[in-house]
Amino acid sequence: MMNLIKGPIYEHEQTKKLLHFLPKRSIVFLWHEDLDGVAVDGLINAQVKAVVNGRASMTGSYPQQHVNTLLQAGIPVFDVISSAKQEKPYQGEEAIIFQDELYVDNKDFEPIFVATLLPYTKGMIEEKTNQAQTNYSAQYDKFVRNTLRYAEKECGWFQQIPDIPLSFAAIDKKEVFIVARNTHYEKDIKAVRHALMRKGTVIVAVDGAADGLLKHKIIPDYIIGDMDSISEQAVYCGAQLICHEHPNGTSPGKERLENMGLIVETIRFVGTSEDVAITATYWSGASRLYLIGCRIGMTEFLEKGRAGMGSTWLCRIQAGDKITDLKGIHQLAHSSIFSIHGQRQNSLKPSLLETIQQLVSERFGGWRKKEVLRHD
């Protein structure tokens, strides 16, 4: 590991917001317990020089390999042991990490000591991984109990048709892609881009996933969520904006967008914005729901800071017959399923790969590019 790391340092209490304005080749100061895959993907894309975390980047509460992913990308990760940091967040000050200590430049004077740091090493990650394995049984039991408790509490919301926004009437009998921001979700977008761009399909982006779609020149029809992790570019991309209103009537996203002079629709419902998107499109009469990046499973929810998945469980039970989950489909491109070598490849006419390509072409043929402000 480098003994000296130097560069501008940027800080925000929410990593997803920091990534919106973070210049490349910076040092980041985070307050993010148990780094998640989305944050790590963003940090790698930003080519950060180092990660300094005011909280534990890896607690050992549950299995995760995201810190290791950063180290493999050549990005050192440090947790703060002791700190003399002032409250004001860093916004590009010149910083130095030397001998596991963080300093900030003081112009004409000596650098100011900020914190003593603990660097992550392979041995430390192995220790945390072993700790997570030891904790797994208790964590799993706790997660399931939380899920069942909230499922019982929230079941009534799923037993009646919610008050659906009027704009969702256009979804009736349409195939819908619901895209959520999750680890490797952009790779899945690329893998099924031909289907996303097909004429007649409807694309619903959940919060920050809108920016991932725009990055690949795909304009969503709807953006639904708390609107706390999308850029202004996404807000003004031409999609219909639907703000998630929580059961208590609060909607931070609506307040933010109305302050920007925008008129938005809302939907009041329990659970995550992904649950709301699935439920709303299901009750709107969608013929098929294709999910990209939507969370399912204990680790993903713990990463999101949720101790259970009651509403998601109920949501999947309700809409399950219409759901095709495409999360991770990009891995098929590198799978042995598509690898036919030597004699076997020559003996198949047509080959398995050609057959699959033909089926995909027939299934998703006749699309029109959705690379304009609004598409059909």
mmCIF file of all heavy atoms in Angstrom, residues 163-171 222 240 242 265-266 284:
data_model
loop_
_atom_site.group_PDB
_atom_site.id
_atom_site.type_symbol
_atom_site.label_atom_id
_atom_site.label_comp_id
_atom_site.label_asym_id
_atom_site.label_seq_id
_atom_site.Cartn_x
_atom_site.Cartn_y
_atom_site.Cartn_z
ATOM 1 N N ASP A 163 -54.414 3.900 -4.528
ATOM 2 C CA ASP A 163 -54.793 5.058 -5.334
ATOM 3 C C ASP A 163 -53.671 5.318 -6.340
ATOM 4 O O ASP A 163 -52.658 5.934 -6.021
ATOM 5 C CB ASP A 163 -55.014 6.265 -4.423
ATOM 6 C CG ASP A 163 -55.596 7.462 -5.171
ATOM 7 O OD1 ASP A 163 -55.979 7.284 -6.347
ATOM 8 O OD2 ASP A 163 -55.643 8.557 -4.594
ATOM 9 N N ILE A 164 -53.875 4.828 -7.569
ATOM 10 C CA ILE A 164 -52.828 4.876 -8.588
ATOM 11 C C ILE A 164 -52.823 6.234 -9.287
ATOM 12 O O ILE A 164 -53.880 6.769 -9.627
ATOM 13 C CB ILE A 164 -53.060 3.767 -9.640
ATOM 14 C CG1 ILE A 164 -53.119 2.389 -8.977
ATOM 15 C CG2 ILE A 164 -51.962 3.793 -10.701
ATOM 16 C CD1 ILE A 164 -51.844 1.940 -8.347
ATOM 17 N N PRO A 165 -51.640 6.813 -9.533
ATOM 18 C CA PRO A 165 -51.568 8.066 -10.295
ATOM 19 C C PRO A 165 -52.225 7.919 -11.662
ATOM 20 O O PRO A 165 -52.126 6.869 -12.311
ATOM 21 C CB PRO A 165 -50.055 8.302 -10.433
ATOM 22 C CG PRO A 165 -49.455 7.603 -9.263
ATOM 23 C CD PRO A 165 -50.316 6.398 -9.041
ATOM 24 N N LEU A 166 -52.893 8.966 -12.119
ATOM 25 C CA LEU A 166 -53.631 8.920 -13.383
ATOM 26 C C LEU A 166 -52.732 8.581 -14.574
ATOM 27 O O LEU A 166 -53.159 7.909 -15.510
ATOM 28 C CB LEU A 166 -54.325 10.266 -13.612
ATOM 29 C CG LEU A 166 -55.444 10.633 -12.628
ATOM 30 C CD1 LEU A 166 -55.984 12.035 -12.929
ATOM 31 C CD2 LEU A 166 -56.562 9.601 -12.678
ATOM 32 N N SER A 167 -51.486 9.047 -14.528
ATOM 33 C CA SER A 167 -50.592 8.821 -15.666
ATOM 34 C C SER A 167 -50.275 7.346 -15.874
ATOM 35 O O SER A 167 -49.850 6.943 -16.960
ATOM 36 C CB SER A 167 -49.284 9.597 -15.482
ATOM 37 O OG SER A 167 -48.586 9.145 -14.338
ATOM 38 N N PHE A 168 -50.495 6.508 -14.844
ATOM 39 C CA PHE A 168 -50.201 5.084 -14.964
ATOM 40 C C PHE A 168 -51.239 4.352 -15.808
ATOM 41 O O PHE A 168 -51.076 3.162 -16.091
ATOM 42 C CB PHE A 168 -50.119 4.446 -13.571
ATOM 43 C CG PHE A 168 -48.723 4.430 -13.007
ATOM 44 C CD1 PHE A 168 -47.927 5.555 -13.074
ATOM 45 C CD2 PHE A 168 -48.210 3.297 -12.399
ATOM 46 C CE1 PHE A 168 -46.643 5.559 -12.550
ATOM 47 C CE2 PHE A 168 -46.926 3.285 -11.879
ATOM 48 C CZ PHE A 168 -46.137 4.419 -11.954
ATOM 49 N N ALA A 169 -52.291 5.042 -16.229
ATOM 50 C CA ALA A 169 -53.291 4.410 -17.090
ATOM 51 C C ALA A 169 -52.658 3.923 -18.396
ATOM 52 O O ALA A 169 -53.130 2.952 -19.009
ATOM 53 C CB ALA A 169 -54.425 5.390 -17.385
ATOM 54 N N ALA A 170 -51.573 4.562 -18.826
ATOM 55 C CA ALA A 170 -50.901 4.189 -20.073
ATOM 56 C C ALA A 170 -50.202 2.844 -19.973
ATOM 57 O O ALA A 170 -49.756 2.290 -20.987
ATOM 58 C CB ALA A 170 -49.896 5.271 -20.455
ATOM 59 N N ILE A 171 -50.103 2.278 -18.779
ATOM 60 C CA ILE A 171 -49.381 1.022 -18.572
ATOM 61 C C ILE A 171 -50.259 -0.195 -18.868
ATOM 62 O O ILE A 171 -49.752 -1.293 -19.105
ATOM 63 C CB ILE A 171 -48.840 0.967 -17.123
ATOM 64 C CG1 ILE A 171 -47.676 1.956 -16.977
ATOM 65 C CG2 ILE A 171 -48.401 -0.432 -16.706
ATOM 66 C CD1 ILE A 171 -47.144 2.091 -15.573
ATOM 67 N N TYR A 222 -41.235 6.820 -16.728
ATOM 68 C CA TYR A 222 -41.590 7.260 -15.388
ATOM 69 C C TYR A 222 -40.356 7.193 -14.494
ATOM 70 O O TYR A 222 -39.498 6.318 -14.660
ATOM 71 C CB TYR A 222 -42.669 6.361 -14.760
ATOM 72 C CG TYR A 222 -43.965 6.283 -15.520
ATOM 73 C CD1 TYR A 222 -44.147 5.347 -16.534
ATOM 74 C CD2 TYR A 222 -45.034 7.128 -15.206
ATOM 75 C CE1 TYR A 222 -45.347 5.257 -17.237
ATOM 76 C CE2 TYR A 222 -46.245 7.044 -15.889
ATOM 77 C CZ TYR A 222 -46.390 6.111 -16.906
ATOM 78 O OH TYR A 222 -47.576 6.025 -17.588
ATOM 79 N N GLN A 240 -42.299 11.133 -16.649
ATOM 80 C CA GLN A 240 -43.337 11.496 -15.688
ATOM 81 C C GLN A 240 -42.804 11.215 -14.284
ATOM 82 O O GLN A 240 -42.323 10.120 -14.002
ATOM 83 C CB GLN A 240 -44.601 10.669 -15.926
ATOM 84 C CG GLN A 240 -45.713 10.928 -14.941
ATOM 85 C CD GLN A 240 -46.284 12.337 -15.044
ATOM 86 O OE1 GLN A 240 -46.591 12.800 -16.133
ATOM 87 N NE2 GLN A 240 -46.427 13.001 -13.908
ATOM 88 N N ILE A 242 -43.163 10.565 -10.344
ATOM 89 C CA ILE A 242 -44.100 10.056 -9.352
ATOM 90 C C ILE A 242 -43.372 9.989 -8.008
ATOM 91 O O ILE A 242 -42.408 9.232 -7.858
ATOM 92 C CB ILE A 242 -44.620 8.647 -9.705
ATOM 93 C CG1 ILE A 242 -45.089 8.577 -11.162
ATOM 94 C CG2 ILE A 242 -45.703 8.213 -8.719
ATOM 95 C CD1 ILE A 242 -46.364 9.322 -11.437
ATOM 96 N N GLU A 265 -46.972 13.933 -9.467
ATOM 97 C CA GLU A 265 -47.989 13.079 -8.880
ATOM 98 C C GLU A 265 -47.380 12.327 -7.708
ATOM 99 O O GLU A 265 -46.153 12.206 -7.597
ATOM 100 C CB GLU A 265 -48.506 12.073 -9.917
ATOM 101 C CG GLU A 265 -49.265 12.703 -11.067
ATOM 102 C CD GLU A 265 -49.786 11.656 -12.040
ATOM 103 O OE1 GLU A 265 -48.969 11.132 -12.817
ATOM 104 O OE2 GLU A 265 -50.993 11.365 -12.016
ATOM 105 N N THR A 266 -48.224 11.822 -6.833
ATOM 106 C CA THR A 266 -47.743 11.039 -5.693
ATOM 107 C C THR A 266 -48.518 9.738 -5.592
ATOM 108 O O THR A 266 -49.621 9.603 -6.126
ATOM 109 C CB THR A 266 -47.909 11.805 -4.367
ATOM 110 O OG1 THR A 266 -49.305 12.073 -4.151
ATOM 111 C CG2 THR A 266 -47.132 13.105 -4.383
ATOM 112 N N SER A 284 -51.929 -1.452 -12.297
ATOM 113 C CA SER A 284 -52.258 -0.679 -13.499
ATOM 114 C C SER A 284 -52.500 -1.561 -14.704
ATOM 115 O O SER A 284 -52.779 -1.058 -15.793
ATOM 116 C CB SER A 284 -51.138 0.328 -13.797
ATOM 117 O OG SER A 284 -51.016 1.267 -12.751
#
